Amino acid sequence: MTPPAPGLVLATAADLERLLPLVAAYHAYEGIGFDDDTRRRVLGPLLEGPQLGRVWLITLGGELAGYVAVCFGYSIEFRGRDAFLDEVFVVERHRGKGVGGAALEQVCHECAVLGVHALHLEVARDNGAARRLYAGAGFEARQRYHLMTRRLACGAPDAAAGGSGR
């Protein structure tokens, strides 16, 4: 019997409490040192309005199976709106069953409808399973480029403290 296909539900501010345990599990897995108050503060603006991005809940047979967070940007090189696939998390018992790949296909479709020309992501070099998942979903490494980041102290309470652990 074929398992049911995962569904995507656009998350809103009303979903914050349902989303927090999933985000906390992802942060624990990735070693991102946020507490729930910080998670609430950074997720709130993303859930409250469409200008920053989207968060989708992944559902499977009526059960919450994960989430995907996409944050919008703009790129001259990519001719307009681009986005960063910021966080993808599938509950452990649903991994390896095609849930993540199917959800990514749906997210790519949704992003295209929203006018996103390119979707970027960052993946740990040693996370072979995630790299295979993303490659299978059509993401390609840009060998000529290396993602670099500079944290800026912009007035946020934890910006100067180092934030995410990425």
Side-chain angles (χ1 to χ4, degrees):
M1 185 168 117
T2 304
L8 283 186
V9 176
L10 185 62
T12 67
D15 296 304
L16 180 60
E17 295 305 316
R18 289 179 58 204
L19 184 59
L20 278 174
L22 294 174
V23 177
Y26 172 73
H27 288 175
Y29 178 81
E30 289 290 342
I32 299 170
F34 283 0
D35 58 28
D36 277 346
D37 288 338
T38 301
R39 280 187 271 279
R40 277 186 186 87
R41 185 173 45 76
V42 298
L43 283 168
L46 193 57
L47 296 172
E48 290 168 4
Q51 68 278 10
L52 297 177
R54 301 287 191 281
V55 177
W56 288 277
L57 303 174
I58 303 170
T59 62
L60 191 59
E63 177 187 349
L64 195 52
Y67 74 98
V68 178
V70 171
C71 299
F72 298 141
Y74 191 88
S75 170
I76 296 168
E77 176 185 357
F78 291 105
R79 297 175 180 90
R81 183 182 246 187
D82 67 349
F84 204 89
L85 188 60
D86 193 48
E87 295 187 358
V88 178
F89 181 74
V90 174
V91 174
E92 189 171 1
R93 71 180 167 279
H94 297 300
R95 293 181 197 154
K97 300 175 183 174
V99 173
L104 283 175
E105 281 303 313
Q106 293 175 57
V107 166
C108 288
H109 172 78
E110 292 294 326
C111 285
V113 168
L114 292 167
V116 173
H117 294 266
L119 189 56
H120 314 284
L121 61 83
E122 178 182 24
V123 60
R125 294 188 201 297
D126 64 351
N127 190 340
R131 289 172 61 138
R132 286 187 297 277
L133 170 69
Y134 297 135
F139 288 86
E140 300 173 350
R142 297 183 72 201
Q143 299 300 330
R144 287 186 50 206
Y145 303 95
H146 181 83
L147 179 66
M148 299 175 73
T149 302
R150 176 178 171 177
R151 294 184 187 280
L152 304 175
C154 62
D158 65 349
S164 79
R166 274 192 177 174

